Amino acid sequence: MRPARALIDLDALRHNYQLARTLHGGRALAVIKANAYGHGATACARALATEADGFAVAFLEEALELRAAGIEQPILLLEGVFSADELDLVIRHDLWIVVHHAEQINLIRKAHPALPLQVWLKLNSGMNRAGFLPHEVRPAWQQLKDSGRVAHITLMTHFARADEPHVHTTAEQIATFDAATRDLPGARSLANSAAILGWSAAHRDWSRPGILLYGADPMPGDPNDLRPVMTLESAVMAVREIPTGAPLGYGARFCAERPTRVGLVALGYADGYPRAVPDGTPVAVDGVRTRLIGRVSMDMLTIDLTDLPAAGLGSRVELWGANVPVNRIAAAAGTIAYELLCNVKRVRFEYRGN
Ligand SMILES: Cc1ncc(COP(=O)(O)O)c(C=O)c1O
């Protein structure tokens, strides 16, 4: 069997959730959209079921999958609904919805839900991606109330740059949110992972940790107690020696600067490992760091075993995990850990700590 696999440490997931909840205070919606950032939404929801206050996904189908798997906790749809018929399913499956633009209020006003809706009303406090502008939020709140179709309204916003501790925009977004919602009743939710870690002024009734749950620090560098949840690994499936000056792999990007022992690893960009990383990107072989050499291929990649004489056929190769932070690989690829984690596919998923 091909040795490529993603090991998912559910104890680490629970640990990170509790850390988020403790750091922020109040209640925490575990953000498990996009298949729990690539970790497996059902398995992650089940692992958190006894302790999570609720979950957040992007859209209805993601929530229905969780309900079908027996998840009973509150589930918030971060994109809200796209049509009136989705509102019926929202009620039938006891889901919560974000309302972030006027058309969604129109849908609610025209609908006849069997029970009142649980709404999270989103304010655009400066990110300018989704949500009502400060002067629109009070009328939107009133329209929802007047519709007679809404039970509770939670007030929320989302930060554009909370992972940048030295820029002032997060403080401005907090102030904008507070000013626009000052007289409105209801619980508040502002903080994503970076704000949980770095912006205590944003801590209110509910947090919404995402990337932090999976152990990837959105602000790498600061010490913390996060534990990586996913280990992406495979094994050496062939070894060859190449002489000084010999090219290796597509485009001959790498040329051996000394006699080099090359390990061929069964994992490539079709599995979600980024093709963009340069020579020298770290990997760990049986827990010892070495480097990637040569371009990443679709199903394979090559690593330098010259200084690891004990390594050979079958040696375990960690692409990211406890020895190689996923953030390090993301930086090497010019992207973010979120994208790498979401893109893992085709490998075997194995869960520990059920
Ligand atoms: C509205 C909202 N809240 C929370 C999150 C979680 O963000 P993070 O993964 O940075 O914690 C997201 C993710 O994109 C989001 O869209």
Side-chain angles (χ1 to χ4, degrees):
M1 190 193 295
R2 189 171 185 249
R5 58 184 185 165
L7 294 176
I8 308 296
D9 180 349
L10 298 172
D11 288 329
L13 178 73
R14 281 186 283 263
H15 164 87
N16 296 336
Y17 176 81
Q18 288 303 346
L19 184 70
R21 208 169 180 282
T22 306
L23 287 171
H24 181 277
R27 289 181 283 174
L29 277 189
V31 180
I32 56 168
K33 61 184 178 153
N35 198 25
Y37 292 39
H39 293 68
T42 301
C44 289
R46 283 191 179 137
L48 290 171
T50 56
E51 45 208 295
D53 302 304
F55 297 105
V57 297
F59 50 86
L60 180 69
E61 288 80 359
E62 289 186 318
L64 295 184
E65 224 177 286
L66 295 173
R67 285 285 184 254
I71 300 302
E72 292 176 347
Q73 281 71 21
I75 303 177
L76 176 67
L77 310 185
L78 291 171
E79 292 181 356
V81 293
F82 292 85
S83 59
D85 51 325
E86 289 195 351
L87 284 172
D88 295 332
L89 289 167
V90 160
I91 290 299
R92 194 178 320 153
H93 294 278
D94 195 16
L95 305 172
W96 299 355
I97 51 172
V98 167
V99 168
H100 63 83
H101 72 110
E103 184 50 30
Q104 289 177 322
I105 298 184
N106 289 336
L107 289 176
I108 289 172
R109 291 165 87 185
K110 286 189 219 140
H112 300 285
L115 291 167
L117 296 156
Q118 306 282 344
V119 166
W120 286 43
L121 180 60
K122 187 166 187 174
L123 172 76
N124 168 13
S125 56
M127 187 173 181
N128 293 326
R129 183 181 68 166
F132 293 88
L133 286 166
H135 71 274
E136 297 168 336
V137 78
R138 187 173 301 273
W141 188 92
Q142 201 58 54
Q143 285 177 339
L144 288 169
K145 273 287 164 202
D146 293 347
S147 75
R149 288 152 174 77
V150 175
H152 287 106
I153 303 177
T154 299
L155 298 161
M156 70 176 288
T157 195
H158 193 49
F159 296 124
R161 303 181 69 180
D163 56 345
E164 298 174 79
H166 303 297
V167 302
H168 47 82
T169 52
T170 304
E172 286 169 7
Q173 283 195 255
I174 296 169
T176 300
F177 176 87
D178 284 342
T181 59
R182 181 162 298 123
D183 306 323
L184 294 176
R188 269 85 170 140
S189 176
L190 283 71
N192 59 353
S193 297
I196 291 167
L197 294 168
W199 294 93
S200 56
H203 296 179
R204 303 296 161 86
D205 304 286
W206 286 91
S207 62
R208 305 186 310 271
I211 196 71
L212 186 160
L213 296 178
Y214 310 103
D217 189 339
M219 292 175 288
D222 294 345
N224 61 47
D225 197 20
L226 291 176
R227 285 165 45 184
V229 174
M230 181 190 292
T231 302
L232 182 65
E233 66 170 44
S234 192
V236 174
M237 60 171 170
V239 179
R240 81 181 54 243
E241 311 266 350
I242 59 171
T244 305
L248 173 65
Y250 285 120
R253 183 183 70 182
F254 177 80
C255 271
E257 62 283 272
R258 58 177 178 168
T260 300
R261 211 166 148 252
V262 180
L264 181 64
V265 179
L267 194 133
Y269 62 77
D271 305 299
Y273 189 84
R275 181 177 176 277
V277 296
D279 294 329
T281 299
V283 300
V285 178
D286 294 329
V288 182
R289 282 244 204 157
T290 180
R291 58 176 184 154
L292 177 129
I293 48 177
R295 280 219 174 107
V296 175
S297 306
M298 187 180 286
D299 320 288
M300 293 180 268
L301 54 82
T302 39
I303 61 173
D304 189 352
L305 297 179
T306 314
D307 298 327
L308 301 177
L313 223 55
S315 288
R316 177 179 167 271
V317 180
E318 176 188 313
L319 287 316
W320 61 67
N323 297 294
V324 181
V326 64
N327 275 322
R328 173 71 182 79
I329 305 304
T335 184
I336 51 176
Y338 299 69
E339 188 183 24
L340 293 190
L341 293 168
C342 284
N343 279 344
V344 174
K345 54 191 170 296
R346 216 173 63 142
V347 304
R348 227 168 41 252
F349 275 69
E350 290 179 16
Y351 292 88
R352 303 273 156 88
N354 297 310

